[in-house]
Amino acid sequence: MKKTFLFVTLMSGLIALQSCESKKEEVVGSNSTEAVDTVPLTPIVEAVGNPTDVKADPGTFQVKPLKYGYDELNEYIDAKTMETHFSKHYLTYINNMNKALKEAGNKSSNIEAILKSMDMNNAALRNNAGGYYNHLMYFDIMSPNAQKEPSGELLTKINETFGSLEQLKDQLSDAAAKRFGSGWAWLVVKEDGQLAVTSTPNQDNPLMPGVETPGKPILGIDVWEHAYYLKYQNKRADYVTAFFNVLDWKEVEANYNKAK
Ligand code: MN
């Protein structure tokens, strides 16, 4: 009787142990599948601040208010990323640019003139004036109510140059993907009035001296990790695809009309 009891106890213990083990495996298995397939991989934190509270230190250049709330592009670019990007990165570029201009004795308030005459050896001015201009464009060409396609003269020019809007998007995605490390992908109007896709490293841009494809930017995609890492981690291509959903072609057309 005692032996039977001991046997039953042992067996049920073993079964319990086994089912515990297999449960553990199941959990581990499902977690690792999730970790590979699901975006986002980590919980996205909500934005807590308000874009209207973002103010630069006294200086030549100030913050241009964001035209939408941090959470309004949420489906494609999460609120926390927008908040950090606008209230920390963009703000820092402005403050540091103002300091660098002061140190260089540069009193200009014309950002394009500053970029075109850039001393490329002045790292502080190059990085921060570039950062200011590039982000000004980036935040301006995104919208929760984006016009999804170009129209009019810009559309005609895109079709002439690239074959179609889809082919232009492919070229921009390709430029964004091939930019090693941090930088930008651009659509520019060249000196001769033609459109071109190009990319630049760090916070450089096509207005600066000595760049591969000089021109006036009308569309810029930030491919620094800080622009997408919370939602997309290493998947830069997914972020670029998402970006096209919030890209407001109305703004790009306005930029084109000024640049051509
Ligand atoms: Mn950025």
Side-chain angles (χ1 to χ4, degrees), residues 21-137:
E21 279 297 309
S22 66
K23 261 185 197 157
K24 206 168 133 197
E25 271 174 21
E26 263 173 40
V27 171
V28 169
S30 78
N31 268 356
S32 57
T33 311
E34 255 174 50
V36 172
D37 293 333
T38 313
V39 171
L41 304 181
T42 49
I44 301 295
V45 186
E46 293 301 312
V48 290
N50 190 323
T52 55
D53 296 336
V54 181
K55 304 277 184 247
D57 298 335
T60 310
F61 291 89
Q62 291 297 307
V63 175
K64 183 178 176 189
L66 200 60
K67 296 181 291 185
Y68 41 86
Y70 293 138
D71 60 350
E72 286 188 74
L73 310 178
N74 220 12
E75 195 180 336
Y76 302 104
I77 298 176
D78 67 276
K80 189 66 190 170
T81 293
M82 284 302 298
E83 179 178 33
T84 311
H85 206 172
F86 186 78
S87 71
K88 301 284 195 295
H89 294 287
Y90 174 53
L91 183 66
T92 305
Y93 294 126
I94 299 176
N95 286 333
N96 288 342
M97 170 178 62
N98 284 333
K99 264 188 246 165
L101 282 170
K102 213 171 166 185
E103 274 162 27
N106 190 333
K107 293 197 168 63
S108 176
S109 59
N110 180 336
I111 186 61
E112 285 184 18
I114 291 169
L115 296 174
K116 282 178 186 165
S117 62
M118 182 62 64
D119 167 9
M120 298 299 265
N121 294 316
N122 184 342
L125 190 58
R126 175 180 175 176
N127 291 333
N128 291 293
Y132 166 73
Y133 175 93
N134 298 349
H135 287 84
L136 194 62
M137 169 166 292

Side-chain angles (χ1 to χ4, degrees), residues 85 89 93 135 184 203 222 224 226-227:
H85 206 172
H89 294 287
Y93 294 126
H135 287 84
W184 291 75
Q203 293 298 352
D222 189 347
W224 282 61
H226 66 225

Side-chain angles (χ1 to χ4, degrees), residues 85 135 138 183-185 203 220-228 239-240 243:
H85 206 172
H135 287 84
Y138 177 74
W184 291 75
Q203 293 298 352
I221 310 174
D222 189 347
V223 298
W224 282 61
E225 285 179 350
H226 66 225
Y228 61 87
Y239 151 73
V240 173
F243 172 82

Side-chain angles (χ1 to χ4, degrees), residues 46 57 170 182 185 188 204 218 232 257:
E46 293 301 312
D57 298 335
D170 286 348
S182 299
V188 300
D204 287 356
I218 61 171
Y232 298 99
N257 291 332

